[in-house]
Amino acid sequence: QVRLVESGGGSVQAGGSLNLSCEVSGFDYSPYFVAWFRQGHGQEREAIAYMHSGTREPYYADSVKGRFTISMDNTEDNTELPLYLQMNKLKPEDTDIYYCAAEYATRFISDLFSPNVYTYWGQGTQVTVSS
């Protein structure tokens, strides 16, 4: 059973940094995509970054390029992988609820920045940036 559990988040002043974590489990040895999204109250869920569990090549939305970094650790059995989102130079407009997401990479997916292609989601964590 696929499971995503987030941790991190909190409050920080503008210009500061935060690191979000997401424990991804249940994919066993199947390839998958992981991503970070954020959503404000009454707004659509916005993609931040994604990567493939195998290639680890990151892709970023223009709004966070150069400030945020998505990464994954390696583990011995490759079945539970910590996913991270390092957020630097935070701005008040980065205030949102942040979600990690995952989807099996066993079919062609044309738009990995779309929240609709992801089946599995973390519970969300609040990030607040004050000016």
Side-chain angles (χ1 to χ4, degrees), residues 4 29 38 55 57 80 87 96 101 111 113 118 121:
L4 280 68
Y29 294 96
R38 63 187 180 186
T55 66
E57 183 174 0
E80 293 189 4
M87 304 184 292
D96 267 331
D111 184 7
F113 280 122
Y118 295 90
W121 292 86

Side-chain angles (χ1 to χ4, degrees), residues 55-126:
T55 66
R56 305 293 176 92
E57 183 174 0
Y59 296 87
Y60 297 97
D62 289 341
S63 58
V64 303
K65 202 172 290 184
R67 299 189 299 125
F68 291 11
T69 303
I70 184 174
S71 63
M72 295 186 77
D73 275 352
N74 293 314
T75 59
E76 288 187 3
D77 61 5
N78 211 41
T79 57
E80 293 189 4
L81 295 180
L83 171 70
Y84 301 104
L85 183 69
Q86 176 65 40
M87 304 184 292
N88 298 326
K89 301 178 183 178
L90 282 161
K91 306 174 182 179
E93 52 263 43
D94 293 319
T95 295
D96 267 331
I97 299 175
Y98 284 68
Y99 299 88
C100 58
E103 179 59 47
Y104 282 99
T106 53
R107 60 183 175 90
F108 174 74
I109 301 175
S110 61
D111 184 7
L112 284 156
F113 280 122
S114 169
N116 298 325
V117 307
Y118 295 90
T119 303
Y120 308 99
W121 292 86
Q123 77 277 18
T125 186
Q126 177 70 46

